[in-house]
Coordinates of all heavy atoms in Angstrom, one line a residue:
M1 N 48.7 -5.4 14.3 CA 49.5 -5.7 15.6 C 50.9 -5.0 15.5 O 51.5 -5.0 14.5 CB 49.6 -7.1 15.8 CG 50.4 -7.6 17.0 SD 49.6 -7.3 18.5 CE 48.4 -8.7 18.5
T2 N 51.3 -4.2 16.5 CA 52.5 -3.6 16.6 C 53.5 -4.6 17.4 O 53.2 -5.2 18.3 CB 52.4 -2.3 17.4 OG1 51.5 -1.5 16.7 CG2 53.7 -1.6 17.5
H3 N 54.7 -4.6 16.8 CA 55.8 -5.4 17.4 C 57.0 -4.7 17.7 O 57.3 -3.7 17.1 CB 56.1 -6.6 16.3 CG 55.1 -7.5 16.2 ND1 54.1 -7.4 15.2 CD2 54.9 -8.9 16.7 CE1 53.3 -8.5 15.2 NE2 53.8 -9.3 16.2
C4 N 57.7 -5.1 18.8 CA 58.9 -4.4 19.3 C 60.0 -4.4 18.3 O 60.3 -5.5 17.7 CB 59.3 -5.0 20.6 SG 60.8 -4.4 21.3
H5 N 60.5 -3.3 17.9 CA 61.6 -3.2 16.9 C 62.9 -3.9 17.4 O 63.6 -4.2 16.5 CB 61.9 -1.7 16.5 CG 62.7 -1.6 15.4 ND1 62.2 -1.9 14.1 CD2 63.9 -1.1 15.3 CE1 63.2 -1.6 13.3 NE2 64.2 -1.0 13.9
C6 N 63.0 -4.0 18.6 CA 64.2 -4.7 19.2 C 64.1 -6.2 19.3 O 64.8 -7.0 18.7 CB 64.6 -4.1 20.5 SG 66.0 -4.8 21.1
C7 N 63.0 -6.7 20.0 CA 63.0 -8.2 20.4 C 61.8 -8.8 19.6 O 61.7 -10.1 19.5 CB 62.8 -8.4 21.8 SG 61.2 -8.0 22.4
G8 N 60.8 -8.1 19.0 CA 59.9 -8.7 18.1 C 58.7 -9.1 18.9 O 57.7 -9.6 18.2
S9 N 58.7 -8.8 20.2 CA 57.4 -9.1 21.0 C 56.3 -8.3 20.5 O 56.4 -7.1 20.1 CB 57.7 -8.9 22.4 OG 58.6 -9.8 22.9
A10 N 55.0 -8.8 20.6 CA 53.8 -8.1 20.3 C 53.7 -7.0 21.4 O 54.0 -7.4 22.6 CB 52.5 -9.0 20.3
I11 N 53.3 -5.8 21.0 CA 53.0 -4.7 21.9 C 51.6 -4.4 22.1 O 50.7 -4.4 21.2 CB 53.7 -3.5 21.5 CG1 55.2 -3.7 21.3 CG2 53.4 -2.2 22.3 CD1 55.9 -2.5 20.7
D12 N 51.2 -4.4 23.4 CA 49.8 -4.1 23.9 C 49.7 -2.5 23.8 O 50.1 -1.8 24.5 CB 49.5 -4.5 25.2 CG 48.1 -4.2 25.7 OD1 47.3 -3.5 24.9 OD2 47.7 -4.5 26.9
T13 N 49.1 -2.1 22.6 CA 49.0 -0.7 22.3 C 48.0 0.1 23.1 O 47.9 1.3 23.1 CB 48.8 -0.4 20.8 OG1 47.5 -1.1 20.5 CG2 49.9 -0.9 19.9
S14 N 47.3 -0.6 24.0 CA 46.3 0.0 24.9 C 47.1 0.6 26.1 O 46.6 1.5 26.7 CB 45.2 -0.9 25.3 OG 45.7 -2.0 26.1
D15 N 48.3 0.2 26.3 CA 49.2 0.7 27.4 C 50.2 1.5 26.7 O 50.6 1.5 25.6 CB 49.9 -0.5 28.1 CG 49.1 -1.0 29.2 OD1 48.3 -0.1 29.8 OD2 49.2 -2.1 29.6
W16 N 50.9 2.3 27.6 CA 52.0 3.2 27.1 C 53.1 2.3 26.7 O 53.4 1.3 27.3 CB 52.4 4.1 28.2 CG 53.5 5.0 27.9 CD1 53.5 6.2 27.3 CD2 55.0 4.7 28.1 NE1 54.8 6.6 27.1 CE2 55.7 5.7 27.5 CE3 55.7 3.5 28.5 CZ2 57.2 5.8 27.4 CZ3 57.1 3.5 28.5 CH2 57.8 4.7 27.9
Y17 N 53.8 2.8 25.6 CA 55.0 2.0 25.2 C 55.9 3.0 24.5 O 55.4 4.1 24.0 CB 54.6 0.8 24.3 CG 53.9 1.3 23.0 CD1 54.5 1.3 21.8 CD2 52.6 1.4 23.0 CE1 53.8 1.8 20.7 CE2 51.8 1.8 21.9 CZ 52.4 1.9 20.7 OH 51.8 2.2 19.5
P18 N 57.2 2.7 24.5 CA 58.2 3.7 24.1 C 58.2 3.8 22.5 O 58.1 2.8 21.9 CB 59.6 3.2 24.5 CG 59.1 2.2 25.5 CD 58.0 1.6 25.3
I19 N 58.3 4.9 22.0 CA 58.4 5.2 20.6 C 59.6 6.1 20.3 O 59.8 7.0 21.0 CB 57.1 5.8 20.0 CG1 56.0 4.7 19.9 CG2 57.4 6.3 18.5 CD1 54.7 5.3 19.3
V20 N 60.3 5.8 19.3 CA 61.5 6.5 18.9 C 61.3 6.9 17.4 O 60.9 6.1 16.7 CB 62.8 5.8 19.1 CG1 64.0 6.5 18.5 CG2 63.0 5.4 20.5
T21 N 61.5 8.2 17.1 CA 61.5 8.6 15.8 C 62.9 8.8 15.3 O 63.7 9.3 16.1 CB 60.7 10.0 15.5 OG1 61.3 10.9 16.4 CG2 59.3 9.8 15.9
A22 N 63.3 8.3 14.2 CA 64.5 8.5 13.7 C 64.5 8.6 12.1 O 63.5 8.1 11.5 CB 65.4 7.2 14.0
K23 N 65.5 9.2 11.5 CA 65.5 9.4 10.1 C 66.3 8.2 9.6 O 67.3 7.9 10.0 CB 66.2 10.7 9.7 CG 65.2 11.9 9.9 CD 65.8 13.2 9.3 CE 64.9 14.3 9.6 NZ 65.3 15.5 9.0
D24 N 65.8 7.6 8.5 CA 66.5 6.5 7.8 C 67.5 7.1 6.8 O 67.7 8.4 6.7 CB 65.5 5.6 7.0 CG 64.7 6.3 5.9 OD1 65.1 7.3 5.5 OD2 63.8 5.7 5.5
E25 N 68.1 6.3 6.1 CA 69.2 6.8 5.2 C 68.8 7.7 4.1 O 69.5 8.5 3.6 CB 70.0 5.6 4.6 CG 69.2 4.6 3.7 CD 68.5 3.6 4.6 OE1 68.5 3.6 5.8 OE2 67.8 2.7 3.9
R26 N 67.4 7.6 3.7 CA 66.9 8.6 2.7 C 66.3 9.9 3.4 O 65.8 10.8 2.6 CB 65.9 7.9 2.0 CG 66.2 6.7 1.2 CD 65.1 5.9 0.7 NE 65.2 5.7 -0.8 CZ 64.2 5.2 -1.5 NH1 63.0 4.9 -0.8 NH2 64.3 4.9 -2.7
G27 N 66.4 10.0 4.7 CA 66.0 11.1 5.3 C 64.4 11.1 5.6 O 63.9 12.1 6.1
N28 N 63.9 10.0 5.4 CA 62.5 9.8 5.9 C 62.4 9.6 7.4 O 63.2 8.8 7.9 CB 61.8 8.7 5.1 CG 61.7 8.9 3.6 OD1 61.4 10.0 3.1 ND2 62.2 8.0 2.9
V29 N 61.3 10.2 8.0 CA 61.2 9.9 9.4 C 60.5 8.6 9.6 O 59.4 8.4 9.0 CB 60.4 11.1 10.1 CG1 60.2 10.8 11.5 CG2 61.2 12.4 9.9
A30 N 61.1 7.8 10.4 CA 60.5 6.5 10.7 C 60.2 6.4 12.2 O 60.9 7.0 13.0 CB 61.5 5.4 10.3
L31 N 59.0 5.7 12.5 CA 58.7 5.4 13.8 C 59.1 3.9 14.3 O 58.7 3.1 13.6 CB 57.2 5.5 14.0 CG 56.6 7.0 14.4 CD1 55.0 6.7 14.4 CD2 57.1 7.4 15.6
Y32 N 59.7 3.9 15.4 CA 60.0 2.6 15.9 C 59.5 2.4 17.3 O 59.5 3.3 18.1 CB 61.7 2.4 16.1 CG 62.3 2.6 14.7 CD1 63.1 3.8 14.5 CD2 62.2 1.6 13.8 CE1 63.7 4.0 13.2 CE2 62.9 1.8 12.7 CZ 63.7 2.9 12.4 OH 64.3 3.1 11.1
A33 N 58.7 1.3 17.5 CA 58.0 1.1 18.7 C 58.8 -0.1 19.5 O 59.4 -0.9 18.9 CB 56.6 0.6 18.4
F34 N 58.7 0.1 20.8 CA 59.4 -0.9 21.6 C 58.4 -1.3 22.8 O 57.6 -0.6 23.2 CB 60.7 -0.3 22.2 CG 61.7 0.2 21.2 CD1 61.6 1.4 20.7 CD2 62.6 -0.7 20.6 CE1 62.4 1.9 19.5 CE2 63.4 -0.4 19.6 CZ 63.4 1.0 19.1
C35 N 58.7 -2.6 23.3 CA 57.8 -3.1 24.3 C 58.1 -2.5 25.6 O 57.2 -2.5 26.5 CB 57.9 -4.7 24.3 SG 59.5 -5.3 24.6
D36 N 59.3 -2.1 25.8 CA 59.6 -1.5 27.1 C 61.0 -0.7 26.9 O 61.6 -0.7 25.9 CB 59.8 -2.4 28.2 CG 60.9 -3.5 28.0 OD1 61.8 -3.3 27.2 OD2 60.8 -4.6 28.7
K37 N 61.2 0.1 28.0 CA 62.4 1.0 28.0 C 63.7 0.2 27.8 O 64.6 0.7 27.1 CB 62.6 1.7 29.3 CG 61.5 2.8 29.4 CD 61.7 3.5 30.8 CE 60.6 4.6 31.0 NZ 60.8 5.1 32.5
Q38 N 63.8 -1.0 28.3 CA 65.0 -1.8 28.2 C 65.3 -2.2 26.8 O 66.4 -2.0 26.2 CB 64.8 -3.1 28.9 CG 66.2 -3.8 29.1 CD 67.1 -3.2 29.7 OE1 66.9 -2.7 30.9 NE2 68.4 -3.1 29.2
C39 N 64.2 -2.5 25.9 CA 64.4 -2.7 24.4 C 64.9 -1.4 23.7 O 65.7 -1.5 22.8 CB 63.2 -3.3 23.9 SG 63.0 -5.2 24.1
R40 N 64.2 -0.4 24.2 CA 64.5 0.9 23.5 C 66.1 1.1 23.8 O 66.8 1.6 22.8 CB 63.8 2.0 24.0 CG 63.9 3.4 23.3 CD 63.1 4.5 23.9 NE 63.5 4.6 25.4 CZ 62.9 5.5 26.2 NH1 61.8 6.2 25.8 NH2 63.3 5.7 27.4
E41 N 66.5 1.0 24.9 CA 67.9 1.3 25.3 C 68.8 0.4 24.5 O 69.9 0.7 24.0 CB 68.1 1.4 26.8 CG 67.3 2.4 27.4 CD 67.5 3.8 26.9 OE1 68.7 4.2 26.7 OE2 66.5 4.5 26.6
T42 N 68.5 -0.9 24.5 CA 69.2 -1.9 23.7 C 69.4 -1.5 22.3 O 70.5 -1.6 21.7 CB 68.6 -3.3 23.9 OG1 68.6 -3.6 25.2 CG2 69.5 -4.3 23.1
W43 N 68.3 -1.2 21.6 CA 68.3 -0.8 20.3 C 69.1 0.5 20.1 O 69.9 0.6 19.1 CB 66.8 -0.6 19.8 CG 66.8 -0.1 18.3 CD1 66.9 -0.9 17.2 CD2 66.6 1.2 17.8 NE1 66.8 -0.2 16.1 CE2 66.6 1.1 16.5 CE3 66.3 2.5 18.5 CZ2 66.3 2.3 15.8 CZ3 66.2 3.6 17.8 CH2 66.1 3.5 16.4
R44 N 69.0 1.4 20.9 CA 69.7 2.7 20.9 C 71.2 2.4 20.9 O 72.0 3.0 20.1 CB 69.4 3.7 22.0 CG 68.2 4.5 21.5 CD 68.1 5.7 22.5 NE 66.9 6.6 22.1 CZ 66.3 7.4 23.0 NH1 66.5 7.2 24.4 NH2 65.5 8.1 22.6
A45 N 71.7 1.5 21.8 CA 73.0 1.2 22.0 C 73.6 0.6 20.7 O 74.7 0.7 20.3 CB 73.1 0.3 23.2
Q46 N 72.7 -0.3 20.1 CA 73.1 -1.0 18.9 C 73.3 -0.2 17.7 O 74.0 -0.3 16.8 CB 72.2 -2.0 18.5 CG 72.2 -3.2 19.5 CD 71.1 -4.3 19.2 OE1 70.1 -4.0 18.5 NE2 71.2 -5.4 19.9
T47 N 72.4 1.0 17.7 CA 72.4 1.9 16.5 C 73.3 3.0 16.7 O 73.4 3.9 15.7 CB 71.0 2.3 16.1 OG1 70.3 2.8 17.3 CG2 70.1 1.1 15.7
A48 N 73.8 3.4 17.9 CA 74.6 4.5 18.1 C 75.9 4.4 17.3 O 76.5 3.4 17.2 CB 74.9 4.6 19.6
D49 N 76.2 5.5 16.8 CA 77.5 5.6 16.0 C 78.7 5.5 16.9 O 78.7 6.1 18.0 CB 77.6 6.9 15.2 CG 76.7 6.8 14.0 OD1 76.4 5.5 13.6 OD2 76.2 7.8 13.5
Ligands
LIG101 ZN1 61.1 -5.6 23.1

């Protein structure tokens, strides 16, 4: 089961959902899934420098 990286809701992976790729502090590429665009934008705003 995939869960939203922002709010923790379960994501229905049979539908489209936003994914963001970002590098962690070690330079590894990580995938973050979100239940909708709103959560993606909220997470982006929180993680922006
Ligand atoms: Zn969410």
Side-chain angles (χ1 to χ4, degrees):
M1 182 68 79
T2 301
H3 291 86
C4 175
H5 192 64
C6 181
C7 72
S9 294
I11 296 171
D12 178 1
T13 54
S14 64
D15 270 334
W16 179 88
Y17 58 98
I19 288 179
V20 172
T21 57
K23 286 190 178 177
D24 66 16
E25 59 275 6
R26 295 167 128 190
N28 296 315
V29 176
L31 270 179
Y32 300 107
F34 299 92
C35 61
D36 59 22
K37 289 180 183 174
Q38 188 63 51
C39 275
R40 184 183 62 184
E41 295 309 313
T42 299
W43 177 80
R44 272 193 178 153
Q46 288 171 351
T47 55
D49 287 333

